[in-house]
Amino acid sequence: MTQGVLLFALNNKDVDYVKQAVFCAKKIKYHLRLPVALVTDNRNYLTKHFPFFEKYIDQIIDIPEAHTNQTKRFLDGVYAIRKLPWKNHNRPDCYNLTPFDETIVLDADYIIGNDSLLNCFKLNQDFLIYRNPTDIASTLRKIQKFDRISDRSIDMWWATGFYFKKTPFMKMYFELVQHIKDNWPYYRLVYQIPHSTYRNDFSFSIAIHILRGFQLNPNWPITMPGNMYMASDADMLHSIDGDKLSFICDYTSSGGYYVGVTVEDVNVHVMNKFSLGREIDKDKEFAYE
Amino acid sequence: MSKGFCLLAQNNSTVDYIKQAYALAVSIHKFNKDQNVSLITNDEVPEQYKSVFDKIITIPWTDQAQETDWKIENRWKVYHASPYQHTIVMDVDMLVLHDITHWWDELKKRDLFFVSNVKNYRNEVITSRHYRKTFDENNLPNLYSGFYYFKKSETAHEFFKLLEIVMINWELFYGKFASNYYQKWCSMDLSCSIVSKILDNSLEITDPNSFITFTHMKPHLQSWHEVPTKWTTVLGSYLTNDKTMLIGNFLQRNILHYVEPEFLTDRIVDRLELL
């Protein structure tokens, strides 16, 4: 059985997901020592700007250039907002794209800080996915908006990180996710999702709810091993020092009041992609590869 | 030994409780084989509704709810009017959505049983005390009279004799036993809890860990951050031909206390009949 990590990197004009993916792959190699495959629509950009990528990425999976009319509001702290194309439509294809029998799929902006994800391969499950992320500033604030896909709807599961085995059941699961994506205007109304933007977390959550028989079920799916820490896009990554990440976190509902938070040896979903990009550039080790 | 469901229904100016009782009786029959259902009412029962009831019983003695709209005042009489040795009493704004015939075996172990834990539409145990402040402030047993059981017995008889006195003199009893967070209207839940407190029998007549429960659709119990006035304004409901009821995309496999009369559309009633 082959095992590995699958990453996606589809750049838009302002966010360099390829850079994030190479950085993410470097962390994966250090902590998990697993093969990494990168799905991208711009191999040339990768090879030109990150000629050292082969140290961290074992396989490139080319897909046609992604075009989308879909946009998303990206925050860089509370006050800087940019509306940019959001190319997130390939995630349901991961069953067909992955070269591995057992695959961990991660967002490129997920920074690995320990080896807890290796336990995915020991749990004898077809599917593992994150459920309740830990807010890095959880002692200061309560982010309720991530508990369900909307206040009156179903539990939220995070496509940021999941593990699957290639089994007929998981094939069916991803086909269902694809069906939900293809019929997004219908499903988002049925599941009371206010925004029209397609989001993988939502389609994955809906598919889970349907396959659970429209019920809460503590037995399936099992959550990914270890914690997924999360910094919102209103927070700013301030520095990367090895496995120590320092953030400036917005901690009020009105916004604009910040406190410093440092985490170490944990896996963190850095939702502020701009600050992540800036800090990767500053990371000396990475810059002089 | 006879056993059956007893439903008390009195229409008021806005709500057709007889129709609700009919829908409940249909749901009982569709999901549970060989059950008896009696309706206690003084109202005219439409001919097409009668077949689901094995008995239609006149409210005993006088109608004490003639002057009121909530029609709560006759509820203590169900014990005396029930034709069964073993009786399950339910609010009529409920639907039975699964086979509960095995509940009888559990209920028969007691003389009297009230539900004391309820679920929300996601099938999560309700922890909200939003509607139970009077109970908490006065250390009253947490009883829900939406679903209860009694056996014709000395214990149950004593309970309902006292319930009659409490409900007729509710202001006096609420003032004495529920003076904190005083409730300005008579309710069956609060009256039963006061009776249980007086008789000191809550451990005998309920069990918070029991599997006997129902889904309560009052909006503040649904663990929402933004609570609407009525759940029916924010959740869709679907009853499919294969006996599947979905509310807000959650499968309902429980007794559903739907609370809001507008939930019971003709379409839902038609679907129930066709199951």
Side-chain angles (χ1 to χ4, degrees), chain B residues 72-101:
Chain B
I72 200 79
E73 292 79 359
N74 293 308
R75 299 277 293 269
W76 60 269
K77 298 176 183 172
V78 175
Y79 176 84
H80 307 283
S82 171
Y84 312 115
Q85 185 67 24
H86 302 273
T87 305
I88 288 173
V89 186
M90 296 174 68
D91 282 359
V92 292
D93 52 350
M94 292 177 134
L95 294 175
V96 175
L97 298 172
H98 67 142
D99 185 346
I100 59 167
T101 49

Side-chain angles (χ1 to χ4, degrees), chain B residues 237-272:
Chain B
S237 318
Y238 321 90
L239 180 59
T240 63
N241 291 335
D242 63 350
K243 296 188 176 185
T244 301
M245 168 72 81
L246 289 176
I247 290 182
N249 298 304
F250 280 89
L251 182 66
Q252 302 301 310
R253 281 272 173 80
N254 213 332
I255 290 174
L256 177 68
H257 188 12
Y258 54 83
V259 179
E260 304 301 343
E262 64 260 35
F263 163 80
L264 195 70
T265 58
D266 289 340
R267 186 181 169 84
I268 295 266
V269 176
D270 290 346
R271 274 281 165 88
L272 278 171

Side-chain angles (χ1 to χ4, degrees), chain A residues 148 152 155 192 209 214, chain B residues 122 223 225-226 234 249 251:
Chain A
R148 298 179 200 149
R152 290 162 193 136
D155 287 348
Q192 303 203 29
H209 186 68
F214 299 92
Chain B
R122 295 157 57 86
S223 71
H225 303 303
E226 290 171 29
V234 296
N249 298 304
L251 182 66

Side-chain angles (χ1 to χ4, degrees), chain B residues 81-129:
Chain B
S82 171
Y84 312 115
Q85 185 67 24
H86 302 273
T87 305
I88 288 173
V89 186
M90 296 174 68
D91 282 359
V92 292
D93 52 350
M94 292 177 134
L95 294 175
V96 175
L97 298 172
H98 67 142
D99 185 346
I100 59 167
T101 49
H102 62 288
W103 288 17
W104 285 110
D105 297 330
E106 182 69 15
L107 292 165
K108 282 177 179 175
K109 294 173 186 170
R110 299 172 188 259
D111 289 327
L112 192 57
F113 182 85
F114 284 83
V115 164
S116 57
N117 78 79
V118 288
K119 306 270 186 86
N120 65 20
Y121 77 107
R122 295 157 57 86
N123 201 32
E124 297 164 328
V125 174
I126 289 168
T127 53
S128 165
R129 306 301 295 164

Side-chain angles (χ1 to χ4, degrees), chain B residues 185-250:
Chain B
W185 65 93
C186 178
S187 76
M188 182 73 173
D189 283 356
L190 187 54
S191 300
C192 288
S193 294
I194 288 172
V195 171
S196 176
K197 175 136 185 176
I198 293 169
L199 296 175
D200 192 21
N201 67 357
S202 64
L203 293 177
E204 287 87 57
I205 68 168
T206 192
D207 175 3
N209 299 314
S210 173
F211 61 84
I212 294 171
T213 180
F214 61 81
T215 299
H216 204 316
M217 291 306 295
K218 276 190 175 172
H220 279 277
L221 305 181
Q222 309 311 319
S223 71
W224 291 327
H225 303 303
E226 290 171 29
V227 182
T229 312
K230 296 177 174 187
W231 71 268
T232 43
T233 61
V234 296
L235 293 181
S237 318
Y238 321 90
L239 180 59
T240 63
N241 291 335
D242 63 350
K243 296 188 176 185
T244 301
M245 168 72 81
L246 289 176
I247 290 182
N249 298 304
F250 280 89

Side-chain angles (χ1 to χ4, degrees), chain A residues 13 36 47 50 64 132 154 175 199 223 233 255:
Chain A
K13 70 182 176 64
V36 176
T47 53
F50 305 96
N132 287 311
I154 58 173
E175 285 170 356
R199 188 169 160 181
T223 55
D233 53 0

